[in-house]
Amino acid sequence: MSAPTGDSATAAVSAEAATSAEASAEAVAAQEAVSAESSAPAAPAVVLPSVVCPACGTSARGDSRFCEACGARLVPDPPASSDPASSDPASSDPASSDPASSIPAAPGRPGPGQARPPCTECGGAVAADGYCEQCGAKAPAPRDHLVDTPAAWVGGVCDRGRVHVRNEDSQALAASLEPGRFAVLVVCDGVSSVPRSDEASLAAAHAALAVLVAGGPTGSGPVVGDAVARGAAWSGLLDRAARAGDDAVADLTAPGAAVPHPAAARTSAAARTSAAPPTPEGTDGDTPSCTFVAAVLDDGVLHTGSVGDSRAYWLPDSGTPTMLTTDDSWAAEAIAGGMPRAEAETAPQAHAITRWLGVDSPDVAARATSRPVTGPGWLLVCSDGLWNYCSPPEDLAQLVRTTAATVGGDPVAVAAELVRWANAQGGRDNITAALARLDAAANR
């Protein structure tokens, strides 16, 4: 993602380290107060204690919330609030087996106590620092290639690509076991030119997923009513999901960073955007940022919301393929102004986004749309690492149909082949492809 115009110890180790980090911060504040009163030289900076990832054993900075190697959460989630959109949407029935009633912390990562894969170079054991004990080669990070399949009809693959040094994309998926009943697909793409963009996308995707699953049939605040009422409710939830993702990204901003108040930052960013076109080389700051796109299937209707240039497509088996989202980018504005799509999307500044999640964003309101599903087809939610090589809906629909005819109708198999295809085109960006297969018999 181009710059805008602007993630084997136990979980107790992480909690203890986080508590220690808070104590260190309080000590620093007290020491600075004493220093100010006495005019003595400022106290030396306190180094935060490191924490150890409970999932993969990698060491991280004491203020980190997610493991940079595998994406696992390093500190406990905050207590659930009374707000259905921000509470844990898991069912109160512990026997519930519906995947839409619970949210994985980080799909695809190794669980606590799970052995690390052997070295891909020589087959030797990989140490906790991520390097082979036998040949010294660095092992691929678990987050370099993630697969998630909450139900047989929904799945996704998130891959580092061939050029980037780390995977800054994230996906968060949930689905009912019954095909076509309910699904949520969220994709976030970190802005690569700012720090902690991989953490930003992970935090935002899972924060957004929690809000949207809460509105599902097994959630804490299920959406009900007629088609009009349900559409309005999902439009509101998609906007809340984007804002929850934005809050999660804002939580990653380093303490003491020179970041203005969000409202002031967004006002100034909007002014800058109107005064000059965005450039992919520049950025409004050094704070974590990412895009956001989510698609919800509920009661035979697709509801989508987005901020940035990650996309959702409806690709029917027959009929007209449709791009369900509108990019917030220089290219989209150029196309709206009459520039041919092929020319706009290959321009040097094409992927400069005009809206994103992060404290310096001019606006984080999700662009929401709804449309009924009337026949079989594929719902695709993806980052620009995929659509950059196949943007028009008609071309992408043909690619997905051809891929499914080759590898079969399993969403994970199709997503994996789409990722392989994008890597074969150059893999210049991280690639995420999340799919839901909707069959006529499952549509309501």
Side-chain angles (χ1 to χ4, degrees):
M1 174 56 54
S2 297
T5 54
D7 250 10
S8 150
T10 64
V13 174
S14 297
E16 179 181 351
T19 302
S20 175
E22 293 174 357
S24 297
E26 293 173 357
V28 172
Q31 197 164 9
E32 288 177 346
V34 172
S35 176
E37 292 177 2
S38 62
S39 299
V46 174
V47 178
L48 295 175
S50 63
V51 295
V52 178
C53 174
C56 69
T58 301
S59 295
R61 295 184 328 196
D63 61 344
S64 297
R65 295 177 66 230
F66 296 92
C67 175
E68 293 187 0
C70 72
R73 183 178 287 275
L74 298 178
V75 295
D77 287 320
S81 72
S82 58
D83 182 355
S86 60
S87 61
D88 184 353
S91 168
S92 58
D93 179 7
S96 173
S97 61
D98 192 334
S101 68
S102 61
I103 302 172
R109 66 174 175 80
Q114 186 174 345
R116 287 174 172 271
C119 172
T120 56
E121 298 293 330
C122 72
V126 176
D129 63 2
Y131 290 86
C132 177
E133 295 177 343
Q134 182 169 314
C135 72
K138 191 179 189 308
R143 191 172 166 182
D144 284 355
H145 187 85
L146 296 175
V147 177
D148 190 15
T149 176
W153 60 287
V154 173
V157 175
C158 182
D159 188 80
R160 180 173 63 89
R162 295 190 179 278
V163 176
H164 284 211
V165 297
R166 62 182 179 178
N167 188 4
E168 294 164 346
D169 278 8
S170 289
Q171 63 182 0
L173 315 178
S176 61
L177 292 177
E178 178 186 350
R181 183 186 182 204
F182 177 76
V184 179
L185 289 72
V186 181
V187 170
C188 294
D189 179 358
V191 175
S192 59
S193 62
V194 298
R196 306 178 73 179
S197 58
D198 54 335
E199 296 178 58
S201 65
L202 185 71
H206 287 276
L209 182 68
V211 172
L212 298 171
V213 171
T218 62
S220 57
V223 170
V224 295
D226 61 19
V228 175
R230 295 173 82 93
W234 281 116
S235 179
L237 282 173
L238 284 161
D239 187 65
R240 291 171 67 183
R243 296 181 188 279
D246 183 59
D247 289 342
V249 174
D251 287 345
L252 298 174
T253 302
V259 178
H261 185 275
R266 285 170 183 148
T267 298
S268 61
R272 286 192 294 273
T273 300
S274 63
T279 62
E281 297 82 15
T283 176
D284 286 319
D286 59 354
T287 57
S289 308
C290 68
T291 68
F292 161 78
V293 62
V296 178
L297 172 70
D298 176 55
D299 197 33
V301 179
L302 291 174
H303 308 274
T304 58
S306 64
V307 180
D309 67 349
S310 295
R311 297 179 177 179
Y313 291 85
W314 169 237
L315 310 174
D317 290 354
S318 62
T320 304
T322 304
M323 183 172 144
L324 302 172
T325 52
T326 300
D327 292 350
D328 297 303
S329 68
W330 180 94
E333 293 181 359
I335 293 170
M339 183 179 291
R341 176 181 293 275
E343 181 180 345
E345 291 184 345
T346 55
Q349 64 270 48
H351 291 279
I353 54 176
T354 55
R355 295 198 310 139
W356 57 94
L357 303 186
V359 297
D360 59 349
S361 175
D363 176 24
V364 297
R367 296 176 184 261
T369 65
S370 297
R371 66 160 294 153
V373 177
T374 58
W378 293 93
L379 168 63
L380 170 65
V381 180
C382 63
S383 65
D384 61 349
L386 175 62
W387 69 252
N388 186 56
Y389 298 110
C390 193
S391 173
E394 299 80 6
D395 295 348
L396 196 51
Q398 184 59 41
L399 175 64
V400 171
R401 292 190 195 109
T402 301
T403 300
T406 302
V407 303
D410 173 43
V412 168
V414 176
E417 182 61 18
L418 291 174
V419 166
R420 187 207 64 77
W421 178 86
N423 274 320
Q425 310 311 304
R428 296 191 301 272
D429 203 349
N430 308 140
I431 309 156
T432 302
L435 290 156
R437 174 61 192 175
L438 306 182
D439 291 317
N443 295 326
R444 295 174 177 272

